[in-house]
Amino acid sequence: MSATNPVAHTGGTGVHQLGARQCAADEEDRQARAAILRLSEPGDGLLFLAVEVFGAAGLLRAAQRGRWTRPEAEQLDATIRERGLSVRPGMFGAALDRWKVRLEDADGVRDLRGMARLGARLVVPSDPEWPPGLADLGLEQPLGLWVRGEHRLDRALEPSVALVGARAASGYGAHNAGVLAYELCGHGVTVVSGGAYGIDIAAHRHALSAARHERGHPGTVAFMAGGVDRLYPRGNADVLEEIARRGLVVSETAPGMSPMRQRFLQRNRLIAAASQATVVVEAGWRSGALNTARRAAELARPVGALPGSVHAAGSAGCHRLIREGAAELVTSPDDVLQLLPGTGLDADPGHQDTLAAGAGDDLSDLEKRLFDALPVRGGSDISTLSNRAGLPVPEVMSALAALELRGLTVQAARGWRKNPS
Amino acid sequence: MSATNPVAHTGGTGVHQLGARQCAADEEDRQARAAILRLSEPGDGLLFLAVEVFGAAGLLRAAQRGRWTRPEAEQLDATIRERGLSVRPGMFGAALDRWKVRLEDADGVRDLRGMARLGARLVVPSDPEWPPGLADLGLEQPLGLWVRGEHRLDRALEPSVALVGARAASGYGAHNAGVLAYELCGHGVTVVSGGAYGIDIAAHRHALSAARHERGHPGTVAFMAGGVDRLYPRGNADVLEEIARRGLVVSETAPGMSPMRQRFLQRNRLIAAASQATVVVEAGWRSGALNTARRAAELARPVGALPGSVHAAGSAGCHRLIREGAAELVTSPDDVLQLLPGTGLDADPGHQDTLAAGAGDDLSDLEKRLFDALPVRGGSDISTLSNRAGLPVPEVMSALAALELRGLTVQAARGWRKNPS
């Protein structure tokens, strides 16, 4: 299996037993995805949709053919209609023309072999270690992730907190990034960040330092905007190499590709979706870290931001997020831990059971659905609940009213939660 | 009129024409209130209730008599029942016993004359200059306010922002208090604060400085916990005297009385109720300024708090308020101006009219009531709306749902507001 499947046994603890035929099909899919990741830019929704319809290998064949067959075109049209997507006719034709451009460079087998020599593997959605949170990205889900490191990706990310912020960090920001990273790791939480100077690298350094004390703790996961073989910026290469050895370095960009502005922005969506909460440590009014925070908020992930002096330009972005209600003000590792879903739940598991038992019978399906979406700790506002329960706001409100009358929900400082009594 | 009514013509622009008999009745009421303010401590709800039932002069006669007549006692019982108040039988008897204690010192005529010599007047609820916002205090409304200064009290307070914070202010806090006070005054907003060292006095100083440039602008209003003739602390006497000359110094405590802990707390409720918004500039985890902020939030007044370093103990109280959702994070005079109700409304008065016209007909009374409680700018959360509309939370939610369906409300970052479209 070694020549055609160089990665099957490098996936940390994620080894699975499959029949030989299934295994070959999986491997064709993995090779096709490795090739496709070079064809397009991250976050290409049309590409994701086409792969969903035809499979990765099918899409690759279409690109190699250079045009859609009539049945393929009809199948795409039908999918667009079924899902009610606003895709204009001809867009898939134009997309295929774009994807063809890099076809000559796209060789999945070569990339998988080359990366295996570097100790990197391609993780694909069918792998057990695929992080489940990425599904929340919808059409913007990545088709695969190049990963360097020994740990299983999904387990490394649970629980995890993204610490993001400005490259031009102040001493205040870098210090706070370090303290948060160190303390979070000490509580078994993995840090997630990019690879940039400033907040990112300060968080990574201290996470690595804390992880030295804990056997089997990955410490930190770095999401790159370029290929995992081109650790960027070069000035951080030593830290990023250490993360590749002891934590995880991840990218959806094909090997050898350099980071570009659009790739940084798309990389931010992975940080937001892969982690369970995002904290902006220090950020100016227009910092890219705000983009990560907003993506996280759109994905209904808790977002925190550290305050600072009202005169510090480097805190203006954090204050902006807090003012807009996009982030909660956090001042300490404890505050950040409280952002994580289910925090404190383990301390008293009886509560959840009691509630589940008491709440079941006399509720409508809609009310049960909302009840399930309510957090046990903290509070969620109506738009978050609407998002989480997948119910329109008026229905969320009438269901909340019903739950409130039954004493099953209480209002917290910033929203609603289950009533523990 | 001069001997028995030493204050009638010192009330700034609030001169009103009344028949002689009405004038005499008003004067008896004012003298009785001046006496009563010495009998009890601020915020005595039983006293307020008894004055509502019997009038100030009637209450004073009962105190002088030393017991309630049977009809009086029956009238009090009936009032308690009507209002559904939780007042135990005998509480009014005990209260009268308390009020009798200082009766010997209580001489309204003497106090009015003495204070007139100092240029102070007693403003009572029937005066045109009585600040309407105080009514929101319910049973905790003051019975009268001793006022030093030329300006009409109600006009001086509209618009106004309370700037409050710690006595042990840092350079950061004092600087920010000064900048906010100066800039707010420059925008025609009166500053309201106590008289303490630290944030209070920094705010007053800079407000006075800004008001020098604006004719007829009171600049700042200082609410004292002791009598207006005993400016406390002595170290701030020069600034407070200047406020008495150019702005306004206000207290509900009788002349000569010294400030005490309980009077400071009760004074805070006046600052919260008299101003249109409260901003905590700098405050520790247990600062008294948090008490003022919480009172303001209970009164559905907008509350702001300035962030600072996560390592500064002096900012911990501000961060606490923001995290609890009791205050909005503010970083600039502009942010503070946006807290004021109706900000920006003048820029497009048509909106309000359009809404009023469109919203009228097909709404239930309950929905209309909630619609009126919705802000035009910013957003109010459900508990604030519940408070403002006087409706229980489930009714607020079902009314919001109805308004939302009609497109009359939209969800803002932190709650709900009228839909301007």
Side-chain angles (χ1 to χ4, degrees), chain A residues 349-374:
Chain A
H351 272 168
Q352 183 87 38
D353 293 340
T354 317
L355 277 169
D361 297 320
D362 57 338
L363 297 180
S364 73
D365 286 352
L366 192 147
E367 289 155 7
K368 278 180 197 161
R369 197 159 142 193
L370 187 72
F371 183 79
D372 289 339
L374 287 167

Side-chain angles (χ1 to χ4, degrees), chain B residues 130-156:
Chain B
W130 185 256
L134 296 177
D136 294 344
L137 288 167
L139 290 178
E140 291 185 294
Q141 287 172 68
L143 294 169
L145 291 171
W146 290 101
V147 177
R148 288 175 68 180
E150 299 293 319
H151 299 272
R152 202 173 126 156
L153 180 58
D154 61 333
R155 291 186 184 158

Side-chain angles (χ1 to χ4, degrees), chain B residues 330-404:
Chain B
V330 293
T331 64
S332 65
D334 266 2
D335 289 351
V336 174
L337 288 170
Q338 281 180 31
L339 290 178
L340 289 171
T343 306
L345 193 58
D346 299 336
D348 188 2
H351 273 168
Q352 185 86 39
D353 293 339
T354 317
L355 277 169
D361 297 318
D362 57 337
L363 297 179
S364 73
D365 286 352
L366 192 148
E367 289 156 6
K368 278 181 196 159
R369 198 159 141 194
L370 186 73
F371 184 79
D372 289 338
L374 287 168
V376 175
R377 284 271 181 137
S380 296
D381 64 15
I382 287 177
S383 68
T384 304
L385 291 172
S386 161
N387 191 317
R388 210 178 287 161
L391 295 171
V393 163
E395 291 186 21
V396 167
M397 291 196 297
S398 70
L400 270 178
L403 293 175
E404 155 109 352

Side-chain angles (χ1 to χ4, degrees), chain B residues 203-417:
Chain B
H204 286 311
R205 270 187 217 279
H206 288 78
L208 286 170
S209 169
R212 275 192 198 99
H213 308 304
E214 314 216 4
R215 263 178 75 90
H217 190 309
T220 196
V221 178
F223 279 83
M224 302 279 102
V228 292
D229 57 339
R230 294 191 56 160
L231 299 178
Y232 176 91
R234 296 308 301 160
N236 287 340
D238 56 340
V239 177
L240 296 170
E241 287 289 352
E242 188 179 348
I243 298 173
R245 283 194 305 278
R246 296 176 41 217
L248 290 166
V249 172
V250 183
S251 177
E252 70 177 320
T253 308
M257 307 265 271
S258 55
M260 298 190 306
R261 179 176 158 72
Q262 190 54 31
R263 290 180 191 153
F264 278 111
L265 291 174
Q266 292 296 340
R267 185 276 315 268
N268 292 347
R269 87 189 196 287
L270 298 183
I271 290 177
S275 57
Q276 293 175 305
T278 292
V279 172
V280 185
V281 177
E282 187 179 48
W285 187 255
R286 294 183 181 285
S287 166
L290 304 192
N291 168 260
T292 311
R294 295 218 175 86
R295 298 298 301 239
E298 283 163 18
L299 295 165
R301 303 280 192 278
V303 179
L306 265 77
S309 165
V310 298
H311 311 297
S315 289
C318 291
H319 295 154
R320 183 182 187 175
L321 288 172
I322 296 165
R323 269 180 69 74
E324 290 172 353
E328 191 171 327
L329 183 148
V330 293
T331 64
S332 65
D334 266 2
D335 289 351
V336 174
L337 288 170
Q338 281 180 31
L339 290 178
L340 289 171
T343 306
L345 193 58
D346 299 336
D348 188 2
H351 273 168
Q352 185 86 39
D353 293 339
T354 317
L355 277 169
D361 297 318
D362 57 337
L363 297 179
S364 73
D365 286 352
L366 192 148
E367 289 156 6
K368 278 181 196 159
R369 198 159 141 194
L370 186 73
F371 184 79
D372 289 338
L374 287 168
V376 175
R377 284 271 181 137
S380 296
D381 64 15
I382 287 177
S383 68
T384 304
L385 291 172
S386 161
N387 191 317
R388 210 178 287 161
L391 295 171
V393 163
E395 291 186 21
V396 167
M397 291 196 297
S398 70
L400 270 178
L403 293 175
E404 155 109 352
L405 284 172
R406 286 180 176 82
L408 292 171
T409 179
V410 288
Q411 231 187 330
R414 293 213 180 176
W416 299 82
R417 58 176 157 81

Side-chain angles (χ1 to χ4, degrees), chain A residues 268-323:
Chain A
N268 292 348
R269 89 190 193 288
L270 297 183
I271 291 177
S275 57
Q276 293 174 306
T278 292
V279 172
V280 184
V281 178
E282 187 178 49
W285 187 255
R286 295 185 182 283
S287 166
L290 304 191
N291 167 259
T292 311
R294 295 218 175 87
R295 298 297 301 239
E298 284 163 16
L299 295 165
R301 303 282 191 280
V303 179
L306 265 78
S309 165
V310 298
H311 310 298
S315 289
C318 291
H319 295 154
R320 181 182 188 176
L321 287 173
I322 297 165
R323 272 181 66 75

